[in-house]
Amino acid sequence: ETESKVHIVYLGEKKHHDPEFVTESHHQMLASLLGSKKDADDSMVYSYRHGFSGFAAKLTKSQAKKIADLPEVVHVIPDGFHELA
Amino acid sequence: TTRTWEYLGLSSANPKNLLNDTNMGDQVIIGVIDTGVWPESESFNDNGVGPIPRKWKGGCESGENFRSTDCNRKLIGAKYFINGFLAENKGFNTTESRDYISARDFDGHGTHVASIAGGSFVPNVSYKGLAGGTLRGGAPRARIAMYKACWFHEELKGVTCSDSDIMKAIDEAIHDGVDVLSISLVGQIPLNSETDIRDEFATGLFHAVAKGIVVVCAGGNDGPAAQTVVNIAPWILTVAATTLDRSFPTPITLGNNKVILGQATYTGPELGLTSLVYPENARNNNETFSGVCESLNLNPNYTMAMKVVLCFTASRTNAAISRAASFVKAAGGLGLIISRNPVYTLSPCNDDFPCVAVDYELGTDILSYIRSTRSPVVKIQRSRTLSGQPVGTKVVNFSSRGPNSMSPAILKPDIAAPGVRILAATSPNDTLNVGGFAMLSGTSMATPVISGVIALLKALHPEWSPAAFRSAIVTTAWRTDPFGEQIFAEGSSRKVSDPFDYGGGIVNPEKAAEPGLIYDMGPQDYILYLCSAGYNDSSISQLVGQITVCSNPKPSVLDVNLPSITIPNLKDEVTLTRTVTNVGLVDSVYKVSVEPPLGVRVVVTPETLVFNSKTISVSFTVRVSTTHKINTGYYFGSLTWTDSVHNVVIPLSVRTQILQNYYDEN
């Protein structure tokens, strides 16, 4: 339960054209969940900000569940992997 | 690729074809998400390639052994994404890793794939004298942008790609302005409910497609069993793999002068007349013998020393061959003949040790000869290259098959292309590397063939939607090989290919350039699919960025405007709708002709479609009813619109289910 694993938080189509603004909104969302900007920065793996909105972050299960409940979140899933075909 | 484009009718020798009409795909940008690229490869030389397209916003990221100046007018972009991989593999030591912490390719797979899709001309390339010719990509003047999201992991002894890295690669590729995205990566089967829209792979790509990028993905190598195809989202082009009309016959001459042509890529010296043995307990003593390839190590050394060994295997992987060869070599043997079901992934034995594959029938012939004489002998000559007839084309054994286990009404795969023993560029680190090139097999190699063809079509029809390209290649595909011969699908027994083996068929680039009509799809069609698949309004609204309310009752998945009709559960009758858009002559008249699946009635209304300057798109209905009285398998047919110049063909696949949601074992 306490171990942090990478989760992908998907937010759908971008709501702002400015990628910087999109990334900032991701950090704010994460900071409000984790309690501080520093924690958010440590947790953030990627901000997806050009083709769509979302981010990858190191979260515990309960944190993932909590953020998934936010209205603007479409879904949260644990990171997966693919192989060469 | 020294054969692929002749086989598909895209020879550079023909001054008037899709290749030359589009300046070989110049100005089109192909993005590849894979293991990186070897920039010095001749396949990425930029001789004769014009300035970088003005719209390009990508870049060439420097990193370990990779300078930003390693890019050129051909390889115009190279980025790498490793954060997700590092976060998942905390013990990974980047300084000790053999992979390059940059866009440089360690494994070779990414270089191979990029070379197939858009590699430049490289004359006089061969694999140790085999498969010789001019190496080139499908769109030799298209530009390549590599997004490295796959990393060699020592402990895994292989490559892995984290979804979070892939998602970032997709995000950057959309930003940079690629036109085609070629992805030879596959997830796991069985698919589960998480792998449709919630599969980040498909979700991220939905946005790429919504922005006009054509996304081409591998269908997977888990065939020949049914329902093994992956990357099944309707907005993605999913590719199956066939053989080429090329093989490498290797003469085996028995002591009775019978010559058998096995398959191998053996390029060593001729093995003169040598004793031939099939290890078995001929003398009924208490010693142990085995003629099974995987158990040759059970034989006493004297059985195999200084001999060529015949063995049999039920294995469909190459592991059996390499293991058997090592046992024979360890015992001092001089060669190996493996009898097995065809799998077409024959890779050479190490150190050019003579090892040749035959099928069970020929293997049994050889065994009969061995048992018919006191001192059986054999001669093995080096392999040759045989191109064109009489070599036929097959859907290769490992190519994953439909139906689409997630949404069977969405036909997958979409299309097929050659993906067996494809010669293309690779990294020097690749164990199969010979002079910077290698022959690899997989739907990984078939996928960039389609990406290359799409790049040419994109240069010809820049305004087409991604769905239009998919429609164009499906409705014009070869259902036979390019010479009119049947295409068989390898499996536990060979059978004639059907849409679940190769979708619309083998890509036919010249026909796809002028398909006549297209079954187009836009955001509304994808929304229809998502609603029909039961996703809730809010998810769909957020995905597409606009408020969306699904109709109630929800729409039928059978009405998604795909260039195929697949009905998995027909009970008595169903009527569905399709819309076609004219992309040929403004004033055109098309008539329908139907080849109904066995025992199925198909009525199309209207039977004639008239297009003019005011009527660009026309809808028609298809009423399908069954005469079967039992639950059947799928029967296959086709629906064709023709104006006597274009044949716009879509596959029809119908399964009768009198008893719904039913499974039995009889």
Side-chain angles (χ1 to χ4, degrees):
Chain A
E1 280 305 317
T2 57
E3 187 189 3
S4 290
K5 294 205 45 87
V6 176
H7 287 74
I8 294 174
V9 180
Y10 174 62
L11 305 175
E13 190 61 74
K14 292 183 302 175
K15 304 232 177 355
H16 303 282
H17 280 294
D18 179 351
E20 295 301 328
F21 199 84
V22 174
T23 296
E24 185 51 34
S25 71
H26 296 161
H27 279 269
Q28 283 170 9
M29 182 186 287
L30 203 48
S32 60
L33 171 80
L34 301 179
S36 77
K37 183 173 186 335
K38 181 179 180 318
D39 288 345
D41 292 348
D42 292 344
S43 165
M44 186 67 79
V45 174
Y46 286 117
S47 164
Y48 306 123
R49 61 185 195 162
H50 299 297
F52 48 93
S53 180
F55 53 89
K58 287 169 273 187
L59 303 170
T60 64
K61 251 184 203 162
S62 62
Q63 288 165 341
K65 187 167 181 345
K66 202 182 288 181
I67 203 168
D69 291 337
L70 296 177
E72 61 270 42
V73 173
V74 176
H75 54 245
V76 176
I77 65 168
D79 201 357
F81 67 90
H82 278 68
E83 297 172 342
L84 306 179
Chain B
T1 58
T2 48
R3 176 67 186 168
T4 302
W5 312 110
E6 281 67 37
Y7 173 72
L8 295 179
L10 271 181
S11 161
S12 55
N14 177 352
K16 198 80 192 90
N17 64 6
L18 175 63
L19 184 69
N20 291 304
D21 289 348
T22 60
N23 192 15
M24 303 186 186
D26 187 31
Q27 296 302 301
V28 176
I29 304 166
I30 302 173
V32 176
I33 300 178
D34 213 286
T35 61
V37 64
W38 198 262
E40 293 83 6
S41 168
E42 294 163 76
S43 190
F44 305 115
N45 77 66
D46 62 1
N47 301 338
V49 176
I52 292 173
R54 218 171 298 127
K55 69 172 186 177
W56 179 241
K57 289 195 289 177
C60 202
E61 189 179 12
S62 53
E64 183 185 359
N65 273 3
F66 200 106
R67 294 158 306 178
S68 59
T69 51
D70 284 335
C71 286
N72 58 23
R73 289 189 306 276
K74 158 63 76 179
L75 179 64
I76 62 174
K79 293 183 178 180
Y80 64 98
F81 309 97
I82 195 171
N83 296 354
F85 173 81
L86 292 176
E88 294 288 347
N89 299 277
K90 294 185 178 57
F92 187 76
N93 186 327
T94 51
T95 50
E96 288 179 12
S97 162
R98 285 196 283 164
D99 200 342
Y100 306 97
I101 310 302
S102 69
R104 185 174 290 276
D105 183 9
F106 171 76
D107 175 83
H109 184 273
T111 302
H112 202 270
V113 164
S115 167
I116 292 170
S120 301
F121 288 90
V122 185
N124 302 318
V125 174
S126 77
Y127 175 78
K128 297 182 178 180
L130 294 174
T134 296
L135 193 114
R136 51 160 272 216
R141 288 223 177 100
R143 314 318 166 97
I144 298 287
M146 175 57 70
Y147 299 87
K148 182 173 180 179
C150 303
W151 300 90
F152 179 78
H153 195 319
E154 206 69 43
E155 283 170 35
L156 298 176
K157 284 277 170 289
V159 168
T160 184
C161 330
S162 295
D163 284 356
S164 55
D165 291 328
I166 295 172
M167 281 288 280
K168 190 56 189 166
I170 295 169
D171 191 43
E172 287 293 313
I174 292 172
H175 164 267
D176 294 348
V178 301
D179 297 296
V180 183
L181 202 47
S182 190
I183 305 177
S184 293
L185 310 178
V186 290
Q188 305 309 301
I189 56 155
L191 303 179
N192 59 46
S193 60
E194 297 302 326
T195 57
D196 189 334
I197 184 175
R198 282 166 294 270
D199 166 349
E200 293 324 318
F201 206 80
T203 307
L205 295 174
F206 174 84
H207 293 281
V209 169
K211 289 168 179 60
I213 297 170
V214 184
V215 178
V216 187
C217 290
N221 301 335
D222 291 313
Q227 295 186 300
T228 45
V229 69
V230 292
N231 293 329
I232 43 89
W235 45 83
I236 293 172
L237 255 155
T238 310
V239 184
T242 71
T243 58
L244 276 167
D245 63 335
R246 181 177 71 186
S247 70
F248 303 100
T250 306
I252 300 170
T253 307
L254 302 178
N256 59 6
N257 287 324
K258 181 170 184 176
V259 177
I260 288 174
L261 292 177
Q263 275 300 308
T265 43
Y266 171 59
T267 55
E270 176 175 307
L271 186 60
L273 276 179
T274 307
S275 287
L276 173 65
V277 65
Y278 171 71
E280 56 183 343
N281 192 350
R283 281 181 249 147
N284 293 323
N285 54 29
N286 59 8
E287 283 188 294
T288 303
F289 295 93
S290 169
V292 173
C293 297
E294 291 87 336
S295 313
L296 289 180
N297 55 324
L298 298 179
N299 296 303
N301 277 355
Y302 73 82
T303 317
M304 301 191 285
M306 302 304 286
K307 293 173 182 164
V308 172
V309 177
L310 169 70
C311 70
F312 288 79
T313 181
S315 162
R316 287 182 170 275
T317 69
N318 260 340
I321 291 184
S322 48
R323 200 175 305 119
S326 64
F327 294 148
V328 173
K329 256 195 248 177
L334 298 179
L336 177 66
I337 299 173
I338 300 107
S339 180
R340 65 177 186 168
N341 259 332
V343 280
Y344 296 107
T345 55
L346 187 64
S347 47
C349 285
N350 292 339
D351 313 321
D352 252 339
F353 186 70
C355 62
V356 191
V358 293
D359 64 13
Y360 283 147
E361 189 178 331
L362 292 172
T364 308
D365 278 353
I366 297 172
L367 180 56
S368 306
Y369 160 70
I370 291 173
R371 288 175 173 167
S372 69
T373 174
R374 256 188 196 297
S375 52
V377 289
V378 68
K379 180 172 73 174
I380 297 179
Q381 290 168 271
R382 62 180 286 137
S383 304
R384 303 359 162 26
T385 302
L386 176 60
S387 295
Q389 294 174 320
V391 178
T393 301
K394 304 165 187 72
V395 173
V396 69
N397 177 69
F398 61 72
S399 185
S400 290
R401 315 299 163 96
N404 168 351
S405 59
M406 170 61 67
S407 185
I410 308 293
L411 177 67
K412 291 290 176 181
D414 293 288
I415 196 74
V420 177
R421 284 201 215 96
I422 304 300
L423 186 60
T426 191
S427 137
N429 306 106
D430 179 356
T431 52
L432 293 176
N433 163 51
V434 173
F437 304 101
M439 277 205 277
L440 298 181
S441 300
T443 48
S444 273
M445 289 57 247
T447 299
V449 170
I450 298 298
S451 302
V453 170
I454 295 283
L456 297 179
L457 293 173
K458 188 105 172 143
L460 195 65
H461 301 290
E463 75 290 355
W464 279 8
S465 71
F469 289 107
R470 190 248 308 272
S471 174
I473 64 173
V474 169
T475 62
T476 60
W478 278 298
R479 289 172 176 45
T480 63
D481 78 2
F483 313 105
E485 294 282 354
Q486 280 281 322
I487 296 176
F488 280 84
E490 283 302 353
S492 52
S493 65
R494 222 174 245 182
K495 67 179 181 61
V496 172
S497 297
D498 61 48
F500 293 148
D501 301 310
Y502 64 6
I506 294 181
V507 67
N508 181 346
E510 285 305 328
K511 287 283 185 204
E514 291 186 30
L517 302 176
I518 52 171
Y519 292 74
D520 209 352
M521 286 175 71
Q524 289 313 307
D525 297 281
Y526 296 123
I527 289 172
L528 187 150
Y529 161 73
L530 294 166
C531 291
S532 71
Y535 295 100
N536 64 46
D537 294 353
S538 75
S539 293
I540 297 173
S541 301
Q542 281 179 282
L543 177 71
V544 300
Q546 61 186 49
I547 301 292
T548 302
V549 176
C550 294
S551 62
N552 191 6
K554 62 180 183 177
S556 161
V557 69
L558 296 179
D559 286 326
V560 175
N561 205 41
L562 292 167
S564 55
I565 294 175
T566 307
I567 305 174
N569 50 11
L570 183 63
K571 189 168 181 179
D572 36 38
E573 180 180 294
V574 71
T575 299
L576 50 91
T577 305
R578 285 289 183 277
T579 303
V580 282
T581 302
N582 181 20
V583 292
L585 289 178
V586 169
D587 293 305
S588 298
V589 177
Y590 281 81
K591 291 188 180 307
V592 72
S593 79
V594 175
E595 198 189 303
L598 184 72
V600 174
R601 286 202 199 91
V602 180
V603 176
V604 178
T605 310
E607 292 183 344
T608 303
L609 303 179
V610 179
F611 298 89
N612 52 44
S613 58
K614 288 194 181 57
T615 306
I616 309 292
S617 294
V618 177
S619 295
F620 59 92
T621 62
V622 183
R623 192 172 77 242
V624 183
S625 55
T626 183
T627 63
H628 292 289
K629 299 290 178 273
I630 62 167
N631 278 26
T632 69
Y634 281 93
Y635 287 102
F636 302 100
S638 66
L639 185 157
T640 303
W641 291 101
T642 182
D643 63 353
S644 68
V645 171
H646 306 91
N647 284 322
V648 187
V649 184
I650 63 170
L652 269 179
S653 314
V654 180
R655 184 174 68 172
T656 298
Q657 285 220 314
I658 306 296
L659 204 54
Q660 298 269 312
N661 301 314
Y662 167 83
Y663 166 75
D664 66 21
E665 309 255 315
N666 58 12

